[in-house]
Amino acid sequence: MKRPCLLAHRGFSEAYPENSPLAFQMAAEKTGADGIESDVHITRDGELVIFHDASVERTSNGTGFVKDHTYEEMLALDIGGWKSPEFAGQHIWTLGQLLDFCREAKLLLNLELKNYEVFYRDLEQRVIDEICQRQMQDAVFVSSFNHISMQRFKELCPDIETGLLYDKPLLDMEAYIRRSNADSMHPRYMLLQYQPELVELYHSRGMKVNTWTVNDGEAMEDMMARGVDCIISNRPDLLCRVADRLCGK
């Protein structure tokens, strides 16, 4: 059985605060994951920051939207205490810091552009510049639920792989992907169980199948048996153990 690429969703987010430096570090130190999946927004003063939600309430001690905060205001937020008091004092990273960490740790990065609740001007080019400045085009692939953004991204930089995130069944997927320049499809994993023919369809188009967020061992086994190219999980430790058992190290 082919071993897929294994990614830690928002870092090792099952055990540590999502998208925190600690979650990224523990994914590298405590699991055999090939890389990390994470998310990028733009602050009011133009800094690219790593955060999942468009607003900060769920995973910090702050309120409001990322787009309305300056970088210094975002940096002042505690992004660990919501998970457990023992993680209090964790603070955000910039995209540059995450890229540098992945390069040093030799990890792949799947970066989701969070530009569908808030439409950030020039987010695509800003991300491209950060990646190319570090010559990490082969170590990063991007994705978004905003498929127009991914089309634009690929036109701006053909050297970086793009993926189309989606979480609901879509009509006539064969016709839909014919119009796309993306390198991969990123379906929620149960959509591949609902429409198992999609894996073959995507592969026939030369596209990778990168699926999320697979946290159950049985579902991990199922996705590997279906031949997906990448699995993204909050539980990268379990994911790696399942892959070792089924596919070898």
Side-chain angles (χ1 to χ4, degrees):
M1 187 181 296
K2 178 186 75 172
R3 184 184 179 92
C5 178
L6 310 176
L7 298 187
H9 187 236
R10 309 177 200 170
F12 193 164
S13 58
E14 173 76 11
Y16 303 94
E18 65 178 61
N19 277 335
S20 68
L22 183 62
F24 300 139
Q25 292 158 358
M26 291 301 99
E29 293 177 16
K30 292 194 171 185
T31 81
D34 301 299
I36 288 168
E37 185 275 347
S38 192
D39 316 274
V40 63
H41 291 265
I42 304 180
T43 64
R44 178 159 57 88
D45 52 349
E47 188 67 60
L48 297 174
V49 294
I50 300 304
F51 206 83
H52 181 269
D53 296 1
S55 59
V56 303
E57 285 88 354
R58 183 177 63 86
T59 59
S60 85
N61 60 342
T63 59
F65 286 86
V66 175
K67 70 179 180 67
D68 295 326
H69 289 282
T70 66
Y71 168 63
E72 290 299 326
E73 289 168 344
M74 288 294 298
L75 186 60
L77 297 178
D78 184 324
I79 64 166
W82 68 273
K83 183 82 168 177
S84 170
E86 68 180 298
F87 301 132
Q90 285 291 302
H91 299 282
I92 63 160
W93 268 355
T94 64
L95 174 58
Q97 287 174 302
L98 180 57
L99 287 168
D100 290 342
F101 170 78
C102 288
R103 181 171 56 184
E104 183 176 341
K106 296 181 171 56
L107 293 173
L108 298 172
L109 175 62
N110 171 204
L111 185 69
E112 181 183 343
L113 276 62
K114 304 296 288 193
N115 54 355
Y116 50 90
E117 293 177 279
V118 174
F119 299 108
Y120 294 109
R121 183 177 179 181
D122 298 328
L123 177 60
E124 297 87 0
Q125 188 62 59
R126 293 285 309 281
V127 169
I128 290 167
D129 291 344
E130 291 280 349
I131 296 169
C132 292
Q133 179 183 354
R134 294 166 174 79
Q135 298 184 329
M136 292 179 66
Q137 294 93 318
D138 292 335
V140 181
F141 58 102
V142 299
S143 58
S144 182
F145 286 96
N146 183 339
H147 298 179
I148 295 172
S149 172
M150 290 296 93
Q151 195 87 353
R152 182 182 302 126
F153 193 105
K154 193 66 178 178
E155 291 168 357
L156 289 169
C157 186
D159 294 336
I160 298 174
E161 291 190 6
T162 59
L164 306 183
L165 280 159
Y166 71 103
D167 62 356
K168 304 290 189 303
L170 298 175
L171 284 171
D172 200 354
M173 187 59 86
E174 184 171 5
Y176 188 80
I177 61 175
R178 197 178 301 131
R179 297 176 288 166
S180 170
N181 59 10
D183 300 283
S184 59
M185 298 299 291
H186 290 230
R188 194 170 185 174
Y189 78 91
M190 61 276 294
L191 299 183
L192 300 178
Q193 297 170 329
Y194 181 67
Q195 293 179 288
E197 69 276 7
L198 288 179
V199 175
E200 183 178 352
L201 170 63
Y202 298 150
H203 282 164
S204 72
R205 284 290 309 274
M207 304 175 86
K208 294 177 182 176
V209 182
N210 304 330
T211 191
W212 55 278
T213 302
V214 192
N215 297 326
D216 172 77
E218 186 175 332
M220 292 171 184
E221 292 183 14
D222 183 45
M223 291 300 106
M224 291 178 199
R226 293 179 190 275
V228 302
D229 300 280
C230 177
I231 298 176
I232 303 167
S233 177
N234 295 337
R235 304 178 66 186
D237 52 340
L238 174 62
L239 180 62
C240 292
R241 291 196 298 271
V242 172
D244 289 347
R245 174 166 53 82
L246 293 183
C247 312
K249 293 187 178 183

